[in-house]
Amino acid sequence: MSVKPPFTELDINTQDGGFYHGYSLPIALISKISMVLLVLWALVFPLNAGEMLSAVNTSLLLSFNTFYILAVGMFAFFLFVVAIIPSTGRRVLGTPGQKPEFSNFSWFSMMFGAGLGVGLMTFATAEPLGLWGSNPVLLSSDLAPNSEDALQSAYRYTFAHYGFHAWAIYVVTGLSLAYYAYTRGMPLTIRSALTPLIGRFANGIFGHVIDVLGVVATILGVSVTIGFGVSQLVDGVYAITGAGWLMDTTGDAPTATKTGLIVALACIMALSILSAVSGVGRGVKWLSNINLVLSLILLLTFVIFGSFLFAMTTYASALVDYILNFVSISFSAYSPVDAGAFAANAPAAVQALGAEDIASVYSGATNPWGSFAGFTEGLPEAAKSLPEADIAAAYAAGTEGRLFGWQAGWTTFYWAWWIAFSPFVGLFLARISKGRSVREFVLGAVIAPALVCFAWMTILGGTAIDLSLNSEEAKAAIVGASNSAKLFVTLEQMISGGLLQALIVMCVVLIMTFLVTSADSGILVMNTIMSGGAEETGVKHRIIWGVILTLVIGTLLLAGGGGLSALQNAMIIGALPFTIVMVGMVISLIKAMYNDGRRDRAGQPEGSASAQPAE
């Protein structure tokens, strides 16, 4: 039985001349206007912007937390199935016999730098340390935070946030785009990945909206990444120079000043624009190679001077534990517990308390960052005299609420971050992966980078934890430092003298190159989407989008009193519609691969006919 040819007649109208020559005017204008309005709002009404973004974010998490969790679990399992099935795994992302454009080293370097480079610099120490103090296992048991018993669960969720799930999000987008662009010869843009579902509607306003969602998600995802990286860059420069204007030391932990953040941002974005102007084959490629070399030097430093045996033991046990709990991590979604439901499930002695005291007990029992000991200490006076069994029962009544708050504030935040990042990283992965098989792409871009991330997390983070376990002084310094400063504080506890200063300087350079790589890759990707999939775009528009990206990051860093919260909230909000697009990508790719397999078995060539329904 014959199969209808696939819909491949994607026609994205671009301007024949003028300022927007080669660009789709609707996509470019809608994207720019959306971002300019966001910048003006955050600039003119910073407190209002911060408060409203926070309120919308909270509302969305209450409603869509489960959707985020289940969607990402589905992405991971879908990719593993596609890679395992022989007929789909051996398909080449290109014409039969086509060779990869880049060497394995350059391919991996660019993939690693664009995907998680900045995040690893900030969170290789901060993530394991944070989860060592709070994770679902600790919140639902009597295990003590920051203890040896808490180590296994800390790394289970560290690996979850930076492992196969994270890279699966990128690869779902990348594989979809590469499949249609290089197997079917369609434009390298977001709407191409939905043509099996929407067919000729991709040529109209519906297709424009899909591409705009990709641009907006890219801007917000890259903005959060650069926001974290810029904060750490300021910490590093402060550690070298001691310049007081860079750091506010009046709080519990030193934090970067607004002036320091904006100056660092301006320097990074200027370099990023220069790199983006040079293109993928020069600036991005060479910076990515430098990133990987410097990363290996930093990793080797921790191998020599850090807790390498502790790290490798942790790596092996944590990897096994992560794999054994993979299904549970993928599909365990928690729901909020409101005050009424908590009071109904609390013991009678708690129900007999006054309304204000019950509210206080509820707040403590559902606090995702608090332990049982902290809950007990924070009880109102009227509740402290209750029997121990009733206090324990009250804490247990809030377990689901604690788990929901933790998941929404940690795992769902990461899923939204990676999803917002996925149009950028996915399109970039597709751009550099022409000629590779589906199986090679999935294994190379999901398994391999995740294993390297695990090594980073165990060698750097494991050293920080080992130092904390063996010295109360080191524990106080490392755990008490801000997330962006934990790497530098760990180095200070590990080595000293001239070598320490040299390593901090190297880390600052590495952070800069990672930031520049992320930003310039994002600029190139945004221009590719707006030009209807063109791989070579106009220089002036790369510059313009570099400036717009700088303004978005800068104004959101200043919104709501300053800091990263407004950036994070905007990113989670922007990621939601693109998550829906990604679910559509998975359904489309299943349909496309199934029908292409039928055509192969029937001996039919892959023709195209605009009058045919989407296949």
Side-chain angles (χ1 to χ4, degrees):
M1 180 179 176
S2 64
V3 187
K4 294 175 181 177
F7 177 85
T8 58
E9 298 300 314
L10 197 57
D11 182 21
I12 304 175
N13 291 325
T14 56
Q15 298 301 106
D16 295 327
F19 183 77
Y20 285 99
H21 175 67
Y23 283 76
S24 168
L25 193 59
I27 302 174
L29 289 181
I30 295 172
S31 300
K32 284 182 179 178
I33 291 171
S34 300
M35 290 301 101
V36 169
L37 289 176
L38 178 62
V39 167
L40 290 175
W41 180 39
L43 190 63
V44 179
F45 305 105
L47 293 178
N48 175 265
E51 291 170 0
M52 186 170 291
L53 287 171
S54 178
V56 173
N57 176 46
T58 300
S59 178
L60 288 180
L61 287 176
L62 288 172
S63 303
F64 291 96
N65 180 68
T66 298
F67 173 67
Y68 272 119
I69 298 299
L70 297 183
V72 172
M74 179 190 69
F75 297 157
F77 276 86
F78 163 72
L79 288 175
F80 289 137
V81 170
V82 166
I84 290 170
I85 296 175
S87 60
T88 55
R90 64 171 173 259
R91 284 192 174 277
V92 175
L93 300 174
T95 56
Q98 187 170 29
K99 300 298 181 183
E101 181 180 359
F102 298 100
S103 68
N104 287 338
F105 180 82
S106 291
W107 181 56
F108 185 81
S109 298
M110 288 189 282
M111 178 170 57
F112 182 78
L116 282 176
V118 177
L120 285 184
M121 290 301 294
T122 303
F123 290 105
T125 48
E127 182 75 4
L129 283 165
L131 291 169
W132 192 36
S134 177
N135 65 63
V137 175
L138 299 181
L139 293 174
S140 57
S141 69
D142 58 358
L143 291 178
N146 300 323
S147 65
E148 288 191 49
D149 293 334
L151 186 63
Q152 183 182 67
S153 57
Y155 269 100
R156 177 185 306 170
Y157 289 94
T158 297
F159 281 16
H161 295 159
Y162 281 81
F164 303 149
H165 293 89
W167 286 92
I169 292 170
Y170 299 154
V171 173
V172 161
T173 304
L175 178 61
S176 297
L177 297 176
Y179 189 87
Y180 300 105
Y182 302 134
T183 303
R184 293 188 171 180
M186 299 174 72
L188 185 63
T189 189
I190 306 297
R191 71 178 75 185
S192 295
L194 293 181
T195 51
L197 286 183
I198 64 176
R200 64 182 181 276
F201 292 106
N203 287 327
I205 186 64
F206 195 40
H208 296 333
V209 171
I210 291 170
D211 284 343
V212 168
L213 289 176
V215 173
V216 171
T218 298
I219 291 171
L220 296 176
V222 172
S223 295
V224 169
T225 300
I226 294 174
F228 276 116
V230 165
S231 181
Q232 189 178 38
L233 179 63
V234 173
D235 272 291
V237 174
Y238 177 74
I240 297 169
T241 65
W245 62 275
L246 291 171
M247 197 68 58
D248 179 4
T249 58
T250 58
D252 294 335
T255 56
T257 62
K258 293 179 183 179
T259 303
L261 289 172
I262 297 302
V263 170
L265 175 64
C267 294
I268 290 300
M269 293 309 299
L271 293 173
S272 300
I273 293 170
L274 289 175
S275 179
V277 167
S278 71
V280 175
R282 294 184 291 276
V284 177
K285 175 182 175 181
W286 287 108
L287 277 175
S288 298
N289 289 344
I290 292 170
N291 288 345
L292 191 58
V293 171
L294 292 180
S295 298
L296 292 174
I297 294 173
L298 179 61
L299 203 62
L300 186 61
T301 300
F302 274 84
V303 168
I304 296 172
F305 297 100
S307 308
F308 185 63
L309 181 60
F310 177 85
M312 288 299 95
T313 304
T314 302
Y315 188 113
S317 60
L319 182 58
V320 171
D321 180 67
Y322 170 52
I323 293 172
L324 291 176
N325 289 278
F326 189 80
V327 175
S328 173
I329 292 169
S330 300
F331 301 111
S332 293
Y334 304 107
S335 302
V337 175
D338 60 34
F342 170 79
N345 292 321
V350 172
Q351 295 179 17
L353 296 172
E356 188 175 334
D357 289 331
I358 293 177
S360 178
V361 174
Y362 166 73
S363 177
T366 55
N367 177 15
W369 320 120
S371 63
F372 178 67
F375 165 71
T376 304
E377 292 174 7
L379 286 172
E381 290 301 322
K384 286 184 177 179
S385 59
L386 295 176
E388 290 184 8
D390 286 338
I391 293 175
Y395 187 69
T399 298
E400 183 78 7
R402 288 194 304 278
L403 292 173
F404 167 79
W406 183 93
Q407 188 175 65
W410 212 311
T411 301
T412 305
F413 164 72
Y414 273 120
W415 288 178
W417 189 1
W418 307 149
I419 287 166
F421 220 42
S422 68
F424 149 49
V425 180
L427 199 151
F428 188 72
L429 289 179
R431 168 68 182 81
I432 64 176
S433 300
K434 184 191 300 183
R436 298 185 182 273
S437 70
V438 170
R439 183 175 296 113
E440 183 182 15
F441 186 39
V442 171
L443 297 181
V446 174
I447 306 294
L451 294 178
V452 174
C453 290
F454 297 164
W456 270 78
M457 294 292 180
T458 50
I459 294 174
L460 275 68
T463 295
I465 291 176
D466 191 40
L467 289 169
S468 299
L469 286 171
N470 290 298
S471 168
E472 287 299 322
E473 181 182 351
K475 183 176 183 178
I478 296 172
V479 175
S482 65
N483 284 342
S484 56
K486 278 182 167 60
L487 172 62
F488 302 113
V489 174
T490 301
L491 284 170
E492 290 170 359
Q493 296 294 322
M494 193 171 68
I495 54 181
S496 60
L499 179 59
L500 172 63
Q501 289 300 110
L503 283 171
I504 292 177
V505 171
M506 189 194 77
C507 286
V508 169
V509 173
L510 184 55
I511 294 166
M512 287 182 63
T513 55
F514 270 137
L515 284 169
V516 171
T517 302
S518 294
D520 63 14
S521 301
I523 293 167
L524 290 170
V525 164
M526 286 184 286
N527 278 273
T528 295
I529 296 173
M530 285 181 289
S531 62
E535 296 183 7
E536 295 297 330
T537 57
V539 169
K540 60 178 178 291
H541 289 284
R542 299 182 203 174
I543 296 172
I544 290 170
W545 273 104
V547 173
I548 291 176
L549 184 59
T550 306
L551 293 174
V552 169
I553 301 168
T555 52
L556 288 178
L557 281 174
L558 300 177
L564 292 169
S565 60
L567 265 177
Q568 295 171 17
N569 290 331
M571 181 267 299
I572 294 174
I573 295 166
L576 179 61
F578 197 76
T579 309
I580 299 171
V581 171
M582 288 185 65
V583 172
M585 286 181 179
V586 170
I587 298 170
S588 295
L589 198 54
I590 291 172
K591 183 179 180 182
M593 287 184 164
Y594 173 72
N595 284 324
D596 283 350
R598 292 172 64 198
R599 293 185 189 97
D600 290 345
R601 290 190 294 274
Q604 294 178 230
E606 286 194 20
S608 65
S610 59
Q612 297 288 352
E615 288 285 351

